[in-house]
Amino acid sequence: MWQPPTDLEQQLHAAKSRGDLASYQRIVGLGEVYLKVPKSDGDALVDGTGEAYSLPLRKELGRQFLDVCTIGELDELDDDWVMFCAQWENLASNDSHRARWFVVNRGTPIEAAFSHDMIQDWLSEPGRPPGRFVHDKLITTGRGPTRGPLAHGLACGAHLAVSNGVVWNSTINTYCGDYTADMQRLRDDWGIESADAWSQQLGYLFEADNSDPAIQVLLSMRRHLGGPAAASLPVKVWRNEFLTWARGKEIPQDALEETIDLMGMILEYEAAFRDAEMMTGDEVVDTVAGYDYGRAVNVIRWGLAARYCDRAAAERLITQAGELSQATYGSWHEYSLGYALGRVLRFDEGAFGSCYRDTR
């Protein structure tokens, strides 16, 4: 029996059940919709040899129909097909769609059809906010795991899933619902353009080798020196211990200075976390390995979307990331602090800008 997979479909179901088409239009019009398109077109767009997807139109009773779905109705695809994410504004502005009807979530109890003119009418309503990608929202699907080892691994990737506005507990072979965006993210952000490169990068993440190794040196040293009272360890003691350790390592002077600066940033971010009530006064972060493990879960999911592995292999790898996290952290609170510190040290660099605000 069909059940609304996410809160969005629940809202659409409620609107349709009471015959409130206006509310249905408002709800579905605020987000994006997804189209099933040929993978060969997606690959051509990624490598620059193509310009657009060919749309899988259906003809019935002399009309053309284009099927679209909402985020919760994204599903596993055959290898020849991928998903494309579209905003209603773009669909409505395309003159080639003027004679077409758009069918939302075909074959489900929340199916609804809209003509091109109907879409333009609701998009032009006064006060309507522009369609945009939804970020920083926890989206859970009732069709994915919420308990057990696989769910634990997926939850390790939830910080980034929330930031990207995607379902956190899904292992279907699409990530954000847009194949070209997934492939471009792998290529541009990770330098990954093949299954071998993907596997190599996962190896680094599983070993927690993707972050600056100096971070872990400093954090481990502080815990060793201060023990349970590491939060009150004098900075001078920590600094002198590091300099003594580094003296025998032939570390260049500029690297020494950068690491001392890093020590200061760690303390500043931890102080900010305490001010934001993210951690208590006697807590410190002992490892940022969670930042690598959490990103690994998302890299696995992008690799699945790229067809670098099958679903079973992806689920095994995600479960492995969860096991590594469990072995490293004693609680979700500790894990989240490690993830947060790893992220701001990598991207915010002491600026306390948008990266820090988003992380907090």
Side-chain angles (χ1 to χ4, degrees):
M1 181 179 178
W2 184 88
Q3 294 291 329
T6 76
D7 288 345
L8 173 60
E9 288 76 31
Q10 178 64 56
Q11 294 175 46
L12 293 176
H13 187 256
K16 185 172 181 181
S17 296
R18 63 177 183 265
D20 188 351
L21 182 61
S23 291
Y24 187 108
Q25 290 177 339
R26 178 182 57 78
I27 294 165
V28 79
L30 286 176
E32 286 70 45
V33 287
Y34 306 90
L35 296 73
K36 181 179 175 182
V37 294
K39 181 176 181 294
S40 57
D41 289 352
D43 290 331
L45 281 172
V46 172
D47 65 24
T49 60
E51 296 182 355
Y53 284 109
S54 54
L55 300 178
L57 298 170
R58 293 182 303 101
K59 292 185 179 180
E60 294 179 9
L61 302 175
R63 288 177 173 171
Q64 288 186 337
F65 293 88
L66 183 62
D67 292 344
V68 299
C69 72
T70 52
I71 191 167
E73 287 297 327
L74 289 168
D75 203 356
E76 188 80 3
L77 297 169
D78 295 335
D79 286 345
D80 293 336
W81 295 91
V82 295
M83 299 304 295
F84 168 68
C85 178
Q87 293 188 2
W88 285 112
E89 283 84 354
N90 294 336
L91 294 174
S93 65
N94 190 332
D95 288 340
S96 65
H97 291 317
R98 286 194 176 279
R100 293 170 183 164
W101 284 67
F102 299 86
V103 181
V104 180
N105 295 330
R106 173 177 288 277
T108 73
I110 54 173
E111 176 181 326
F114 303 97
S115 69
H116 182 271
D117 290 342
M118 292 170 69
I119 294 170
Q120 286 197 320
D121 287 344
W122 95 54
L123 290 178
S124 63
E125 290 179 358
R128 180 190 177 277
R132 61 181 179 83
F133 288 96
V134 177
H135 295 289
D136 299 322
K137 181 179 180 180
L138 181 67
I139 305 174
T140 303
T141 176
R143 297 172 184 171
T146 55
R147 295 181 181 274
L150 178 58
H152 187 102
L154 287 164
C156 292
H159 297 81
L160 190 52
V162 167
S163 178
N164 289 329
V166 304
V167 174
W168 71 268
N169 65 327
S170 174
T171 58
I172 60 173
N173 57 1
T174 183
Y175 179 81
C176 71
D178 192 305
Y179 176 76
T180 55
D182 289 340
M183 294 297 291
Q184 288 166 352
R185 192 189 303 269
L186 281 173
R187 181 192 65 195
D188 298 342
D189 295 351
W190 293 89
I192 295 173
E193 296 186 78
S194 68
D196 287 343
W198 172 75
S199 180
Q200 182 182 52
Q201 188 59 249
L202 280 180
Y204 297 145
L205 291 166
F206 280 151
E207 293 294 328
D209 282 342
N210 189 272
S211 297
D212 183 352
I215 300 173
Q216 195 55 52
V217 169
L218 291 175
L219 296 179
S220 297
M221 186 175 291
R222 176 174 61 178
R223 177 58 75 183
H224 174 73
L225 290 170
S232 58
L233 180 73
V235 178
K236 183 177 180 180
V237 173
W238 190 14
R239 181 178 183 275
N240 288 342
E241 179 67 15
F242 167 71
L243 291 174
T244 299
W245 172 86
R247 197 170 295 127
K249 304 292 182 181
E250 297 183 359
I251 298 175
Q253 183 62 33
D254 57 346
L256 283 176
E257 293 174 359
E258 289 174 1
T259 307
I260 295 299
D261 291 342
L262 177 61
M263 184 183 296
M265 278 194 283
I266 291 171
L267 292 170
E268 290 173 1
Y269 280 120
E270 287 182 335
F273 289 172
R274 294 186 187 99
D275 289 344
E277 299 183 348
M278 293 169 59
M279 62 192 298
T280 62
D282 59 353
E283 287 183 299
V284 295
V285 175
D286 286 334
T287 175
V288 295
Y291 183 54
D292 280 359
Y293 300 153
R295 288 185 296 159
V297 172
N298 290 271
V299 170
I300 293 164
R301 292 181 61 189
W302 287 318
L304 175 61
R307 309 306 199 269
Y308 293 155
C309 68
D310 60 21
R311 189 172 188 172
E315 291 180 349
R316 287 194 298 271
L317 289 167
I318 291 169
T319 300
Q320 182 182 348
E323 291 169 346
L324 288 169
S325 297
Q326 278 188 301
T328 305
Y329 296 95
S331 68
W332 282 114
H333 173 68
E334 290 179 8
Y335 172 81
S336 292
L337 287 175
Y339 182 95
L341 183 60
R343 184 172 189 267
V344 294
L345 288 175
R346 186 180 186 92
F347 291 111
D348 195 59
E349 297 181 329
F352 290 87
S354 60
C355 177
Y356 167 74
R357 292 190 295 271
D358 291 346
T359 300
R360 188 181 63 177

